[in-house]
């Protein structure tokens, strides 16, 4: 039986997993453990071999189980990939710029959010690289991924608009367009740093914290925000 899609709440990001491919969870603890082991094995194989080259036998061998066991929980490579995404996606993408209260330093809040995003990206760098590959060959997944990215950008745009209303950001920039530019800057920098391995400057490895701090300064400067550090 397919699992019903959750209703998207105000702060929630849409799923990148195809909900039509997600079955109901097993009803026993043993079943849950077996399913989780297959998901972990599938993620390992996909990240190692790429989406196109991965075969179901590679996943069953990694999980040390039979093909019959696999088909008890998943009908195809597409199904287990959807389950992997559902399992990992909340850790893969940080929710975005938090709400800033009157007592907060906006630049410090944005820096904390950027750092959390980079730390999540680091934990999932191999999977993030895999998603780039799948988006090129699967139009449906590409659309789901775009929808999630758009929701992320929209959340940041609302945060920018709130700062503008409070006189803490340049009132003359469009919040949505600005969010697209700044969010894209951060996500592409994370991709280059962790997936491509472009983390050197003048022969030295740039610490992640230095990258995050620079991105935050650029974000703050673009919005003409006060920076206290």
């Amino acid at each position: 039986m397919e699992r019903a899609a959750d209703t998207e709440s105000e702060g929630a990001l849409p799923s990148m997993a195809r909900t039509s491919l997600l079955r109901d969870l097993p009803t026993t603890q043993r079943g849950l453990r077996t399913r989780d082991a297959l998901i972990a094995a599938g993620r390992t194989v996909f990240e190692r071999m790429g989406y196109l080259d991965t075969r179901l036998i590679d996943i069953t061998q990694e999980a040390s189980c039979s093909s019959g066991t696999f088909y008890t929980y998943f009908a195809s490579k597409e199904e287990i990939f959807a389950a992997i995404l559902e399992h990992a996606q909340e850790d893969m993408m940080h929710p975005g710029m938090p709400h800033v209260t009157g007592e907060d330093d906006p630049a410090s809040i944005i820096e904390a959010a950027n750092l959390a995003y980079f730390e999540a990206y680091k934990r999932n760098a191999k999977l993030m690289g895999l998603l780039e590959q799948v988006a090129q060959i699967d139009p449906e997944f590409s659309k789901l991924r775009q929808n999630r990215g758009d929701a992320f950008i929209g959340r940041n745009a609302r945060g920018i608009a709130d700062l503008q209303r409070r006189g803490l950001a340049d009132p003359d920039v469009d919040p949505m367009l600005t969010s697209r530019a700044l969010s894209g800057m951060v996500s592409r920098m994370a991709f280059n740093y962790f997936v491509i391995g472009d983390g050197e400057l003048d022969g030295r490895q740039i610490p992640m914290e230095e990258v995050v701090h620079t991105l935050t300064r650029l974000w703050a400067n673009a919005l003409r925000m006060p920076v206290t550090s």
Side-chain angles (χ1 to χ4, degrees), residues 33-194:
R33 287 194 299 270
T34 302
R35 182 180 184 273
D36 286 346
L38 283 166
I39 288 173
R43 177 170 175 170
T44 297
V45 174
F46 278 126
E47 291 178 348
R48 182 173 67 231
M49 303 182 67
Y51 185 80
L52 289 176
D53 291 335
T54 292
R55 304 169 300 169
L56 295 185
I57 191 173
D58 300 317
I59 297 174
T60 57
Q61 287 177 348
E62 181 72 26
S64 299
C65 72
S66 66
S67 58
T69 298
F70 179 91
Y71 284 116
T72 299
Y73 300 94
F74 305 104
S76 64
K77 182 166 75 171
E78 291 76 16
E79 270 197 21
I80 192 170
F81 186 69
I84 290 167
L85 286 182
E86 185 197 36
H87 194 265
Q89 65 185 354
E90 290 312 310
D91 187 47
M92 281 163 36
M93 184 161 307
H94 189 257
M97 191 175 81
H99 177 68
V100 179
T101 71
E103 302 300 319
D104 294 326
D105 169 26
S108 296
I109 296 298
I110 292 172
E111 181 151 16
N114 284 340
L115 181 59
Y117 179 84
F118 262 66
E119 288 173 340
Y121 213 110
K122 180 180 180 180
R123 290 191 298 270
N124 296 281
K126 290 182 179 179
L127 184 56
M128 297 299 280
L130 176 66
L131 298 186
E132 290 287 326
Q133 179 193 95
V134 177
Q136 298 300 315
I137 60 176
D138 187 335
E140 185 173 349
F141 170 73
S142 180
K143 182 62 177 176
L144 290 170
R145 186 167 177 254
Q146 181 181 340
N147 290 343
R148 186 172 172 90
D150 287 346
F152 182 79
I153 289 167
R155 181 176 295 176
N156 283 343
R158 290 191 293 274
I160 291 170
D162 180 64
L163 292 175
Q164 289 174 319
R165 285 191 295 271
R166 293 166 49 203
L168 296 174
D170 186 350
D172 296 326
V173 297
D174 179 84
M176 182 61 74
L177 185 57
T178 302
S179 177
R180 284 188 181 278
L182 296 177
S183 301
M185 173 185 70
V186 174
S187 64
R188 180 48 56 175
M189 193 69 172
F191 178 81
N192 289 346
Y193 189 85
F194 293 114

